[in-house]
């Protein structure tokens, strides 16, 4: 039986990944500062530990581990990353986890490690036109991410790749683009646009307006969690290292995205654009390389995925009123 460790197993993507690994027959050890919030973990072992501490990273990896999935990071949506208020913590906390992880993987001979980077590492100058963003993997340099979160991701990508070149670490790197779905942050200040807008619509009364940050012309693409987990597994089983974009090519403006969610809700809700942190003007995954090298394309279209997220947000929102 293969042994996998998932760092960040109490978080959104990590908790879904644990379910997938278990379904595939892995023995799984999850590590996080917290348990998954919305359903009990299915991991064989779950440790509450701070991965900024070297000892905790080493303890998790010393026992003949085949695969590490390193998803732990200090992160959140635009309200967390683009205000600047959390920059020191974002950089310091995530960099420490990655520095300890690469060294322990080499020291304890972990066979393969997956690292979750982000589309936020791409240069801002290629994301100024909402209708024509350029995010092919080879456009990363000259580097100019628009957030410290993006700079840390870029640094850590390079860290994993140097350990691969010099010390034989077998690493696999994905640049995730806006992953969404049930059982993610929705109301704690770390939620991202899909969950935040679904929540606002679910909370709105008939005839009310919801606030959308920025002019709403900014574009994004969103990838459903099941597609994300499938892509991670495919990358881990491949001979490739990446970095690869793991995202959707279905680009939509934020106002049209809000309208889609409103139409799913069946409510009469309007949009009010207000000032707020928005990030780059245009962003959409470019999947040319990943579809060629891994033969991967997403299966779940935006409307289908958002319907599932909206149903879940409605449910947790209703439940939260009674708790
Ligand atoms: P998440 O915040 O839900 O999960 C991250 C987890 O890491 C959290 O449960 C958190 O408690 C844990 N963590 C943070 N600091 C820790 C520490 N010191 N010790 C132990 N655990 C710690 O985020 P997510 O959406 O599941 O993202 C997972 C990974 O994917 C992150 O690295 C993130 O940067 C990356 N990513 C996510 C997206 C997205 O759209 N969700 C996009 C790009 C990249």
């Amino acid at each position: 039986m293969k042994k996998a460790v998932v760092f960040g197993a109490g978080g959104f993507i990590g908790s879904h990944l644990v379910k997938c690994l278990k379904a595939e027959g892995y023995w799984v050890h999850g590590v996080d500062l917290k348990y998954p919030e919305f359903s009990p973990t299915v991991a064989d072992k779950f440790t509450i530990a701070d991965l900024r501490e070297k000892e905790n990273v080493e303890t998790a990896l010393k026992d003949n581990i085949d695969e590490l999935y390193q998803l732990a990071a200090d992160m959140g949506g635009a309200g967390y990353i683009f205000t600047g208020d959390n920059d020191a913590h974002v950089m310091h906390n995530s960099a420490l986890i990655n520095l300890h992880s690469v060294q322990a993987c080499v020291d304890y001979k972990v066979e393969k490690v997956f690292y979750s980077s982000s589309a936020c590492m791409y240069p801002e100058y290629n994301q100024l036109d909402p209708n024509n963003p350029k995010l092919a993997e080879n456009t990363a340099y000259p580097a100019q991410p628009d957030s410290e979160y993006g700079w840390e991701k870029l640094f850590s990508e390079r860290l994993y790749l140097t350990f691969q070149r010099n010390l034989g670490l077998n690493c696999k790197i994905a640049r995730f683009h806006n992953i969404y779905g049930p059982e993610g942050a929705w109301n704690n200040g770390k939620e991202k646009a899909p969950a935040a807008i679904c929540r606002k619509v679910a909370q709105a009364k008939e005839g009310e307006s919801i606030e959308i940050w920025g002019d709403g012309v900014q574009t994004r693409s969103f990838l459903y969690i099941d597609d994300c987990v499938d892509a991670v597994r495919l990358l881990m089983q491949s001979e490739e290292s990446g970095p690869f974009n793991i995202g959707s090519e279905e680009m939509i403006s934020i106002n049209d995205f809000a309208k889609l969610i409103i139409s799913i809700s069946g409510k009469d809700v309007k949009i009010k654009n207000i000032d707020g942190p928005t990030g780059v003007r245009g962003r959409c995954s470019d999947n040319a390389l990943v579809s060629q090298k891994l033969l991967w394309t997403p299966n779940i279209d935006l409307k289908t995925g958002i319907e599932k997220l909206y149903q879940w947000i409605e449910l947790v929102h209703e439940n939260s009123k009674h708790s």
Side-chain angles (χ1 to χ4, degrees), residues 7-15 31-34 49-52 70-76 93 97 115-120 149 153 175-180 184-185 190 192:
F7 287 169
F12 168 50
I13 302 173
S15 58
V31 185
D32 202 301
L33 291 170
K34 61 178 179 68
D50 187 340
L51 294 164
R52 291 171 302 178
Q70 198 321 71
L71 291 103
D74 192 354
M75 62 97 62
N93 293 343
I97 298 170
Y115 173 58
S116 53
S117 181
S118 163
C120 288
Y149 169 75
K153 289 293 189 193
R175 295 171 178 163
F176 290 155
H177 292 241
N178 283 315
I179 315 302
Y180 72 95
K190 288 198 164 187
K192 300 177 136 212

Side-chain angles (χ1 to χ4, degrees), residues 237-264:
Q237 287 158 348
S238 78
E239 297 300 314
E240 303 287 337
S241 287
F244 287 115
N245 288 329
I246 292 187
S248 157
E249 292 184 313
E250 207 180 331
M251 187 166 83
I252 188 167
S253 77
I254 292 296
N255 274 355
D256 283 347
F257 185 51
K259 285 178 197 159
L260 171 69
I261 295 172
I262 291 168
S263 80
I264 287 169

Side-chain angles (χ1 to χ4, degrees), residues 84-130:
D85 299 342
N86 306 298
D87 286 349
H89 286 136
V90 163
M91 290 206 97
H92 185 250
N93 293 343
S94 299
L96 273 181
I97 298 170
N98 287 313
L99 286 162
H100 297 325
S101 295
V102 282
Q103 189 63 56
C105 280
V106 168
D107 291 347
Y108 297 108
K109 301 185 173 49
V110 174
E111 203 183 295
K112 290 181 204 174
V113 53
F114 171 83
Y115 173 58
S116 53
S117 181
S118 163
C120 288
M121 48 63 63
Y122 282 111
E124 187 176 18
Y125 57 78
N126 278 335
Q127 302 172 79
L128 298 175
D129 177 355

